[in-house]
Amino acid sequence: MYRYLERRLVEHLREFLRRTYDLEIANIVVEQPPKIEFGEYALPIAFELARKLRKAPRKIAEEIVAGLGPVDGFAKLEVAGAGYINAYVDRAALATELAADRFPSDRSPAADVPAGKVLVEHSSINPNKAAHIGHLRNAILGDTFVRLLRFAGREVDVQNYIDNTGVQVADVVVGFLHIEQKSRTQIEALAAAPRFDYVCWDLYARVSHWYEEDESNLQARLATLHAIEEGNNETAAIADLISTAVLKRHLETMDRLDIEYDFLPRESEILHLHFWDAAFTKLKEAGVLTYEDEGKNTGCWVMRRVGTAAQPLTTEGPSASPSASLGASAKQAGSEEKITEEDQKVIVRSNGTVGYVGKDIAYHMWKFGLLGRDFGYRKFFRYPNAHDCWISTTEGENDHPHFGDVAEIYNVIDARQSEAQNTVIEALRELGHGEAADRYTHFSYEMVALTPRCAAELGYQLSEEDKARSWIEVSGRKGFGVKADDLLDALITSAAKEVDARHPELSEAERARIATQVAIGALRYFMLKFTKPSVIAFDFKDALSFEGDTGPYAQYAVVRASNIFRKGGFDPESFCRDAASLVSTEGFAKYLTGESSNDIWELWLAAAKTSYIVGQCIATTEPAYLAKHAFQLAQLFNTFYHRYPILSEADEGRRKFLLATTAVVRRELIRVLAAMGIGVPPVM
C-alpha cells in the first residue's frame, strides 16, 4: 500500500510540473520523514527546481501544494521548513484497504511488473565435496531473491551451474585413483552410501597435502583434467560418477532449507555440445578477441581487461602467419588499438584450452538466447512437492520446459569473481548486445567465517592468536570449515533443547518439527540480516537467540499474535481472513486520528510497507532490507502487545480495532518471513 500511494503522489506531481512549468523530471525523490508527526512522505523537489525556476524553494513548494489540489488517498500536503513538502496519507482509507488486503483502485498487482522471464543463478557448488557454510550464504541469498522476484509478480527460472569438469573434481578423482588406489567399482559402492560428499571432503584435503609433499604429483592433476575434458574414457566416467553423486547430496542438503532449482546446466555439455566453439567464432568475427603473436601471451586469444585504457597501434599490423590469420582479420576489422600485455585478459590459452571466463561467455550468450544452440534436457531430481529439477545432457528428453532466452540475469557469485563477471558483461557489450549487458547483474557478496567461539564449539583446535581474532576464515582445501549438514544438525539440536524445555506436553515428532523450523529460520535470517558486502562471522548463540535481531524473535512475534486469537477463542487463520469486517472506515478514522494514536499508526504504516520494501530489495539487490523490516515490524508489534490489553479492552469497538491491528501485522509478518524462506511454527 505504501508503495502504491507513493507512486500515485509522484504521478500527480510529475503531471503538475509538466502542466505548470513545462518540466519533465525523470526521477522525483521521495523521502521518509524522521517522525510520524511530519507525515508519511517528504518531497524535496522544490530545492531541485530552485535554480531552474529562479525562485526560492519555499515559494515553489507553496505553488506546488496549492496547484496540486486534493490527491486521492492523502489527507493533506503541507509546506515545511525552507521548502519541503510533507504529505499526510488518509489513515482511515489506507487502513481500510490494508485490512481488506486490497490494492488501490487505480493500481493492479501486475501494473508495474516488467515483461520477460528472469534467470537467477545461485549456489553453483563444485560437485567435489560436501556443501559448506559459505555455500549456504550464496544459496540463501539467491533463493530469497527468487522469492522476492516472485512476490513482485516476476516469472523466474532458478539455475545452479555445475562445474563438473574443473580442477576441483579432478583433484577428487586423483585422490581416489592415485592415493586411495580405488577401482571404478569400489568408487561406485562408496558413492551409493550415505553422505558420500563427506568422504570426498576429507579426500580433497588429503589431495592438497599430497600435492604439497611433491610438486611432481601435480602432473596427475593435469593428466586427469585433460582426460575429463576429452571425455569418453574411464577417467571421465569416474569423474561423472563422483560429481553426479555429490550433486545429488547438494540438492538434498539445500532441500532441507526449502531451496529448489529448475535446471542444472553442466560444464561438460557446454564443452561437448560445442557452445564455446560457436561463441569463439562470434567473438573472433566481432573483433572482441585478438590473437597474440608476441610477448608472454604468445599463442593466446585475449581481450582487453575491463577498465583499462586503449593504446594506439604502433605497428603496421599483426603477423600474417597461418595460425594468426583469423586474429589478424579480427584486429583489423574490429579494433584500431593495441592491447598492452598488462591489459590483456587471456580467454584461450596457448595450448588451445579455453579458460573459465571463455566458457562463461558462451554460457551467458545461451542464457540470453544469443548463441544459436541449446542443451539436451532430462529429469534429474524430484522434490517432495513433486517439482522436477532438470539437468543438461547431450541429447535428452523431447518434452521439457523451455530454459534460457531470458530478459534478465542475476548471478549470485562472491565478490572475488567480480573481474570475471565484468569480463563476461563487457564481452556481451562488445559483441553488440549492449541491452543484454545492461540486464546482467553480478549479485556480489562477501564470505562467511566463524567466530572463535563457534569454531571451538565445532571441535577445531585454536591457537591463542586465533582466539583473539574477530573471525576465523574457513578453507575447503585445508579441510577447515563447517559442512552445511553438520551446521543444520547442530542448530536443530540446539533449538530442540529449548523447545523440549518449553513444550514437554507435545509429542516428540511435533517438537522435532518446531525445532527444525526454528533452526532453519535462525540460519536463514542470520545469513540475510547482514548486507552483502559484510563478512559474516557465524555464531550459534547469536543466531538462535530468541531476543534481538534474529529469526526466532520475528517468528515469536507471529506466535504471540496467534496466541492472542486462541486465547480469545478464535481460529487465527479464519479470523485474520475476516479482519476487514471488524472495523469500518469510520472506525479506523476514530482510532487512528490524533497524536495519541501515532504509535499504533506507526505499526499500521510499517505493515503497509511490505511491497515497498520488496521493491527496494529488488532494485538494490539487497535482501538485508527485508530482514530489517521484519525486525522493525516484530519490535513495533511487541511494543503494541505490552502497551495495550487487547482481549481485556472494555470498549467493544476499540477491542475489535486492536484485534484487526493484530491480524494485519500477523499477516504481513508471515508474508515477510515467507519471502525470506522462513516458516512460522505453531508454538515456540
Side-chain angles (χ1 to χ4, degrees):
M1 290 296 301
Y2 184 88
R3 179 187 186 193
Y4 296 104
L5 286 175
E6 179 188 278
R7 291 185 179 183
R8 183 185 290 167
L9 179 62
V10 167
E11 287 167 4
H12 276 70
L13 178 56
R14 185 173 285 119
E15 173 57 30
F16 171 80
L17 296 176
R18 188 183 298 123
R19 183 179 68 249
T20 306
Y21 302 121
D22 195 27
L23 290 175
E24 290 288 346
I25 306 296
N27 297 310
I28 294 178
V29 175
V30 181
E31 300 175 357
Q32 297 182 43
K35 294 182 179 180
I36 199 68
E37 291 87 344
F38 302 146
E40 288 72 33
Y41 308 94
L43 301 165
I45 184 70
F47 298 99
E48 181 182 342
L49 298 178
R51 182 172 295 180
K52 292 179 182 178
L53 300 179
R54 298 180 181 276
K55 294 180 181 179
R58 186 172 178 88
K59 176 65 175 175
I60 297 170
E62 290 170 348
E63 291 177 359
I64 291 173
V65 169
L68 266 182
V71 179
D72 190 27
F74 289 83
K76 62 179 179 178
L77 276 70
E78 285 185 350
V79 178
Y84 267 94
I85 299 172
N86 289 340
Y88 297 78
V89 305
D90 182 333
R91 294 183 177 185
L94 187 152
T96 300
E97 298 288 311
L98 187 60
D101 201 17
R102 289 195 300 258
F103 288 88
S105 58
D106 63 340
R107 187 77 66 174
S108 72
D112 302 301
V113 178
K117 186 186 292 186
V118 183
L119 190 159
V120 177
E121 179 192 323
H122 68 79
S123 301
S124 302
I125 309 167
N126 289 314
N128 70 317
K129 65 181 187 306
H132 59 63
I133 190 170
H135 297 134
L136 290 179
R137 186 177 196 187
N138 182 307
I140 290 169
L141 281 170
D143 179 66
T144 301
F145 199 68
V146 168
R147 292 168 186 268
L148 290 168
L149 288 166
R150 287 175 175 162
F151 186 102
R154 300 301 302 271
E155 181 184 3
V156 187
D157 267 354
V158 186
Q159 297 191 8
N160 177 4
Y161 181 79
I162 310 302
D163 182 4
N164 62 335
T165 66
V167 67
Q168 289 83 2
V169 171
D171 283 347
V172 177
V173 174
V174 167
F176 278 120
L177 296 182
H178 294 271
I179 298 177
E180 295 273 315
Q181 301 287 313
K182 299 287 187 186
S183 67
R184 180 175 175 179
T185 302
Q186 290 173 314
I187 297 170
E188 283 180 343
L190 286 170
R195 294 200 167 177
F196 174 64
D197 51 340
Y198 279 41
V199 174
C200 294
W201 174 288
D202 295 334
L203 183 58
Y204 183 61
R206 288 175 58 197
V207 172
S208 297
H209 293 308
W210 188 63
Y211 291 150
E212 292 171 1
E213 289 170 1
D214 187 344
E215 286 189 5
S216 66
N217 290 337
L218 287 167
Q219 294 303 313
R221 171 194 276 177
L222 295 176
T224 301
L225 265 175
H226 180 73
I228 292 172
E229 289 197 6
E230 187 177 273
N232 297 316
N233 55 67
E234 183 72 2
T235 300
I238 290 172
D240 182 63
L241 164 66
I242 293 168
S243 62
T244 301
V246 172
L247 174 57
K248 285 183 177 177
R249 281 291 304 120
H250 289 170
L251 298 187
E252 290 166 354
T253 298
M254 294 305 167
D255 186 45
R256 297 180 69 185
L257 289 159
D258 197 22
I259 295 174
E260 298 181 353
Y261 309 93
D262 299 313
F263 178 48
L264 309 171
R266 295 187 295 184
E267 187 166 293
S268 54
E269 277 68 56
I270 288 178
L271 293 171
H272 300 151
L273 293 172
H274 307 292
F275 277 30
W276 167 246
D277 294 341
F280 194 23
T281 299
K282 293 177 184 290
L283 290 163
K284 289 184 292 187
E285 289 175 349
V288 179
L289 297 184
T290 58
Y291 182 84
E292 284 303 305
D293 51 16
E294 59 183 14
K296 66 178 182 180
N297 292 327
T298 298
C300 299
W301 287 89
V302 304
M303 65 178 284
R304 173 174 298 286
R305 286 187 182 276
V306 178
T308 59
Q311 300 293 327
L313 279 171
T314 57
T315 64
E316 292 298 318
S319 166
S321 65
S323 64
S325 59
L326 233 173
S329 64
K331 283 185 178 180
Q332 291 165 350
S335 177
E336 293 297 331
E337 63 182 58
K338 174 70 175 177
I339 307 176
T340 64
E341 287 188 358
E342 293 75 18
D343 295 344
Q344 293 172 2
K345 175 69 175 177
V346 175
I347 304 300
V348 182
R349 305 179 188 94
S350 59
N351 63 3
T353 59
V354 58
Y356 162 79
V357 175
K359 286 177 279 192
D360 214 27
I361 292 170
Y363 172 41
H364 283 85
M365 291 174 69
W366 168 81
K367 285 183 177 180
F368 278 121
L370 304 172
L371 193 62
R373 301 200 178 192
D374 199 4
F375 294 102
Y377 302 89
R378 68 175 172 85
K379 292 176 183 175
F380 179 74
F381 189 87
R382 172 158 283 199
Y383 292 98
N385 63 3
H387 174 69
D388 286 317
C389 178
W390 295 72
I391 197 167
S392 64
T393 67
T394 51
E395 295 180 359
E397 304 173 26
N398 292 325
D399 187 16
H400 61 81
H402 178 68
F403 296 109
D405 194 21
V406 298
E408 296 176 55
I409 293 171
Y410 291 89
N411 273 1
V412 185
I413 305 177
D414 75 53
R416 293 169 293 183
Q417 298 298 320
S418 292
E419 182 186 9
Q421 288 291 292
N422 289 335
T423 300
V424 176
I425 293 171
E426 190 59 27
L428 289 171
R429 201 177 302 283
E430 291 191 25
L431 281 167
H433 305 301
E435 187 177 349
D438 291 340
R439 291 183 277 109
Y440 178 150
T441 301
H442 175 201
F443 193 107
S444 174
Y445 66 94
E446 272 295 348
M447 68 175 184
V448 181
L450 306 174
T451 63
R453 177 173 64 188
C454 183
E457 288 174 356
L458 289 164
Y460 291 107
Q461 298 299 314
L462 304 179
S463 67
E464 290 303 316
E465 184 180 358
D466 287 335
K467 294 176 183 177
R469 296 179 187 274
S470 299
W471 44 265
I472 308 294
E473 187 173 355
V474 299
S475 171
R477 285 198 175 274
K478 296 177 181 177
F480 181 78
V482 183
K483 301 179 188 73
D485 281 309
D486 284 350
L487 177 61
L488 287 167
D489 291 343
L491 284 169
I492 291 170
T493 298
S494 295
K497 292 177 182 177
E498 188 74 26
V499 175
D500 290 346
R502 293 181 179 217
H503 297 284
E505 76 284 359
L506 298 178
S507 70
E508 184 177 347
E510 287 176 308
R511 296 199 305 272
R513 280 194 296 271
I514 293 168
T516 299
Q517 281 187 296
V518 172
I520 299 302
L523 177 60
R524 291 191 66 122
Y525 190 98
F526 194 88
M527 291 293 184
L528 292 169
K529 74 174 183 177
F530 299 96
T531 55
K532 294 181 300 170
S534 306
V535 173
I536 293 180
F538 186 82
D539 187 274
F540 286 108
K541 185 177 179 181
D542 291 345
L544 277 172
S545 174
F546 277 53
E547 298 298 327
D549 190 7
T550 67
Y553 178 77
Q555 288 173 314
Y556 188 66
V558 179
V559 171
R560 172 171 275 170
S562 298
N563 287 339
I564 291 172
F565 297 115
R566 293 193 187 99
K567 289 177 182 177
F570 311 111
D571 173 67
E573 299 303 326
S574 58
F575 185 94
C576 291
R577 281 195 298 270
D578 299 331
S581 63
L582 292 177
V583 187
S584 65
T585 301
E586 292 74 19
F588 281 125
K590 176 181 178 181
Y591 298 116
L592 290 173
T593 300
E595 290 188 11
S596 62
S597 65
N598 281 349
D599 59 334
I600 296 182
W601 174 242
E602 282 194 75
L603 180 57
W604 277 86
L605 187 62
K609 289 183 178 180
T610 301
S611 63
Y612 173 82
I613 299 297
V614 168
Q616 187 181 40
C617 292
I618 293 172
T620 60
T621 62
E622 183 52 89
Y625 296 134
L626 195 64
K628 182 178 180 181
H629 178 57
F631 179 49
Q632 180 190 30
L633 199 51
Q635 272 189 314
L636 288 170
F637 176 73
N638 285 331
T639 299
F640 164 82
Y641 171 84
H642 289 295
R643 186 172 294 172
Y644 298 97
I646 300 169
L647 294 176
S648 60
E649 171 61 52
D651 184 313
E652 181 64 16
R654 185 168 177 80
R655 179 173 174 269
K656 289 181 177 179
F657 165 71
L658 296 176
L659 284 168
T661 302
T662 303
V664 167
V665 174
R666 178 183 179 274
R667 182 193 71 207
E668 293 305 311
L669 257 177
I670 290 172
R671 282 181 176 169
V672 170
L673 290 173
M676 297 170 70
I678 299 173
V680 179
V683 297
M684 287 180 70

